[in-house]
Amino acid sequence: MTILTGFPLKLLEQSATERLAYFENYTVAHPRLKEVYETLVRTIAEPAGASFIFVYGPSGIGKTTLRLRVEQKLTELALPKLESDRGCVPVVGVEAVAPESRNFNWKDYYTRALIALALFCHSPGGRSLEAS
């Protein structure tokens, strides 16, 4: 009889610190997260007039993981363009800060977005905002 444990059995022979590190770094792909990922990438590729896409939910649900994976996928999709235009910015990630009041702070959001772009533009390989 084969018992599927979901983790390497050799892990049981490791120290408690190594076992803990394994599980701290382990990510389980939730089926709903996969579905949202595919929908999000498709929506970005074919926006149909959408200028903003909001992803929201409780803490720890995987919003940042989703954003990072989507950024990685968009960068992969942009590789042919990046080969011919090294100044192309395929994606800039900006996390919106939850408002303390009921009103979203658009000024803060755009300030963070511009800072993220400026950091890219001043990094090696980036280009100035004027050249964009």
Side-chain angles (χ1 to χ4, degrees):
M1 174 195 282
T2 303
I3 299 174
L4 300 176
T5 61
F7 64 88
L9 292 176
K10 292 257 184 209
L11 185 63
L12 297 173
E13 301 168 8
Q14 304 299 318
S15 70
T17 303
E18 290 170 312
R19 292 192 309 260
L20 181 61
Y22 173 85
F23 286 105
E24 284 177 342
N25 294 313
Y26 189 80
T27 302
V28 176
H30 190 281
R32 182 74 174 129
L33 187 60
K34 287 181 181 180
E35 179 185 332
V36 170
Y37 166 83
E38 291 167 2
T39 301
L40 185 56
V41 170
R42 188 175 53 253
T43 301
I44 292 169
E46 302 167 10
S51 58
F52 284 98
I53 300 170
F54 290 97
V55 177
Y56 57 91
S59 298
I61 202 165
K63 297 179 300 293
T64 300
T65 300
L66 175 66
R67 179 182 65 88
L68 294 173
R69 289 190 179 157
V70 168
E71 286 179 11
Q72 181 181 14
K73 180 65 174 179
L74 294 174
T75 301
E76 288 172 13
L77 292 172
L79 285 177
K81 172 78 173 160
L82 290 169
E83 288 178 10
S84 63
D85 181 3
R86 301 235 179 231
C88 174
V89 182
V91 64
V92 174
V94 179
E95 288 192 34
V97 176
E100 292 180 14
S101 67
R102 293 180 157 227
N103 297 325
F104 184 75
N105 188 336
W106 287 100
K107 180 180 176 184
D108 178 68
Y109 172 79
Y110 283 114
T111 300
R112 289 173 180 272
L114 289 171
I115 289 171
L117 281 169
L119 289 174
F120 168 80
C121 292
H122 290 87
S123 66
R127 64 181 174 191
S128 71
L129 290 174
E130 293 82 26
S132 303

